[in-house]
């Protein structure tokens, strides 16, 4: 429930909906809590919780967290 | 030398007898999975608090959802919530009796079900802390169809911590990272001022070790404590202000009942009058009260389990007579054994049932 994972915004679909790439898997998520879709969010890393971006991450932070998660998955 | 071993070395240098409580199920998962309790100095005790929303949902609230499902309403919820027993089985059990209970990943999946069939009655069982509540607020502000409503069971972290510190013996807290993403670090400052160092942490082993270093540094320092942020990559000190505004446009604060902790003043959310048309407890009040009138909570199976004490960090899972015997992840009796964020689930999975 508290789990949130980072992904990269790849396209904007409507006022609130975007496609986000989670390390190769793309899903629709909502951007309401970051102010809705804005071209400035394209290519940005966001932290996603239950289908909603809750926080913006810098590219470096996003990649670093994704790398950590990949490492964890390999260790499963 | 890895970051983890550097942090552990720092902890060994700063170590002192201390009881640190985290209040987040995902923190418990990381701590259990990496066996952090085993590598920390023995005098540093890390306790698990009431930080898993699935675990703190009381039987009554689950029974209300089941009452609606039994009345022909489509109940949607997150996966974990479906297996937590109410007084007479779980939502999953209701589904096996023929009720329409569906697992969703997001509130928007539930809204899509309502849109697809306008004649259906679709209720989203809205659980979760401050991290989840704004997502539900955002969905409501987008005007979902009128055959969609929310059965609210949101809980707020700050009032629960205020209650906990009155009755438990802890010295410091690790604050939940993703709750802090929304509400920021400032609301936790009041606990620092009451004598509890508190540090917001992320969810990797390094994040948790760093938060322990920061707590020990505060305790070894001048004696003036503060709420600090060990998770700046996702948490701004003021939080996500837009999300806070959306949350309190749609919801207002109310009292709420917690499993194991009883009713805590101001610890829940209800819909503001403007959005009452989305409140399942109002729309379906008659259906709920009709089904609930004969339920007694005194003799239910889970009243034998020690979830209440475990949620307050007063007992460990293996103090519970049901742990790993009658209560296992495949047949959970208490809520703490259901979720991947539950203390008992993690204890069972990562320490092995034979340690009980």
């Amino acid at each position: 429930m508290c789990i949130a994972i980072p992904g990269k915004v790849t396209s904007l679909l409507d006022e609130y909906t975007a496609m986000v790439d989670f390390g190769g898997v793309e899903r629709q998520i909502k951007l309401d809590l970051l102010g809705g879709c804005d071209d400035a969010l394209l290519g940005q890393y966001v932290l996603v919780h239950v289908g909603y971006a809750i926080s913006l991450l810098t590219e470096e932070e996003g990649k670093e967290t994704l790398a950590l998660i990949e490492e964890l998955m390999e260790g499963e | 030398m890895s970051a983890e071993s550097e942090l552990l070395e720092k902890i060994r240098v700063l170590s002192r007898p201390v009881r640190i409580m985290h209040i987040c199920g995902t923190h418990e998962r990381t701590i259990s999975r990496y066996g952090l309790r085993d590598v920390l100095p023995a005098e540093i005790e890390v306790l698990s608090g009431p930080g898993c929303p699935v675990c703190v949902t009381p039987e009554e609230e689950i029974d209300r959802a089941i009452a609606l499902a039994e009345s022909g309403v489509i109940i949607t919820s997150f996966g974990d919530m479906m297996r937590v027993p109410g007084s007479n089985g779980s939502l999953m059990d209701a589904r096996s009796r023929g009720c329409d209970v569906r697992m969703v990943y997001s509130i928007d999946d539930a809204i899509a079900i309502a849109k697809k069939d306008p004649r259906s009655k679709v209720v989203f069982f809205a659980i979760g802390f401050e991290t989840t509540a704004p997502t539900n607020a955002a969905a409501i502000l987008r005007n979902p169809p009128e055959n969609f409503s929310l059965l609210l069971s949101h809980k707020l972290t700050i009032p629960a911590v205020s209650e906990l510190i009155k009755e438990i013996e802890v010295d410091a807290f690790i604050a939940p990272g993703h709750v802090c993403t929304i509400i920021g670090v400032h609301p936790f400052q009041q606990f620092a001022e009451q004598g509890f160092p508190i540090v917001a942490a992320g969810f990797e082993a390094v994040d948790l070790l760093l938060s322990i270093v920061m707590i020990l540094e505060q305790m070894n320092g001048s004696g003036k404590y503060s709420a600090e942020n060990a998770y700046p990559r996702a948490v701004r000190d003021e939080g996500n202000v837009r999300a806070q505004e959306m949350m309190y446009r749609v919801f207002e604060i109310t009292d709420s009942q917690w499993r194991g902790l009883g009713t805590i003043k101001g610890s829940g959310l209800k819909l503001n009058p403007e959005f009452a048309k989305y409140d399942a407890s109002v729309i379906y009040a008659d259906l709920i009260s009709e089904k609930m009138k004969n339920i007694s909570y005194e003799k239910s199976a889970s009243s034998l389990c020690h979830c209440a004490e475990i949620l307050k960090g007063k007992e460990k899972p293996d103090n519970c007579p049901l742990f790993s015997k009658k209560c296992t992840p495949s047949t959970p009796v208490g809520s703490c054994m259901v979720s991947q964020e539950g203390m008992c689930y993690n204890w069972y999975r990562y320490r092995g049932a034979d340690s009980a």
Side-chain angles (χ1 to χ4, degrees), chain B residues 163-205:
Chain B
E163 276 303 301
L164 269 176
I165 58 177
K166 291 180 196 160
E167 64 163 304
I168 57 170
E169 286 176 23
V170 295
D171 305 303
F173 287 96
I174 297 172
H178 290 143
V179 165
C180 293
T181 303
I182 303 294
I183 68 172
V185 178
H186 298 317
F188 290 94
Q189 181 62 24
Q190 57 180 296
F191 305 119
E193 283 161 15
Q194 290 175 65
F196 301 92
I198 184 158
V199 178
F203 300 91
E204 310 303 337

Side-chain angles (χ1 to χ4, degrees), chain B residues 149-151 271 276-288:
Chain B
S149 57
L150 297 177
L151 184 64
L271 283 147
K277 66 178 179 181
Y278 293 116
D279 188 343
S281 69
V282 173
I283 306 167
Y284 305 116
D286 293 347
L287 293 181
I288 295 172

Side-chain angles (χ1 to χ4, degrees), chain A residues 1-4 16 27 30 32-35 47-52 54-57 61 65 68 72 76, chain B residues 26 33-34 53 78 105-108 131-132 134-135 138-139 142 178 181 204 233-234 236 240 242 246 341:
Chain A
M1 275 296 310
C2 308
I3 292 170
Y16 299 107
R27 285 199 76 145
K30 298 286 185 193
D32 308 50
L33 304 178
L34 300 182
L47 193 61
V48 178
H49 169 66
V50 293
Y52 285 72
I54 56 170
S55 179
L56 201 57
L57 304 170
E61 289 158 347
T65 314
L68 269 169
L72 289 178
E76 279 277 335
Chain B
T26 314
R33 176 180 193 158
Y34 294 103
F78 298 131
Y105 166 71
S106 153
I107 185 172
D108 294 279
T131 327
T132 319
T135 68
R142 258 186 269 117
H178 290 143
T181 303
E204 310 303 337
R233 64 182 188 275
R236 317 281 171 262
N240 181 337
R242 187 189 311 272
M246 290 171 94
E341 297 172 37

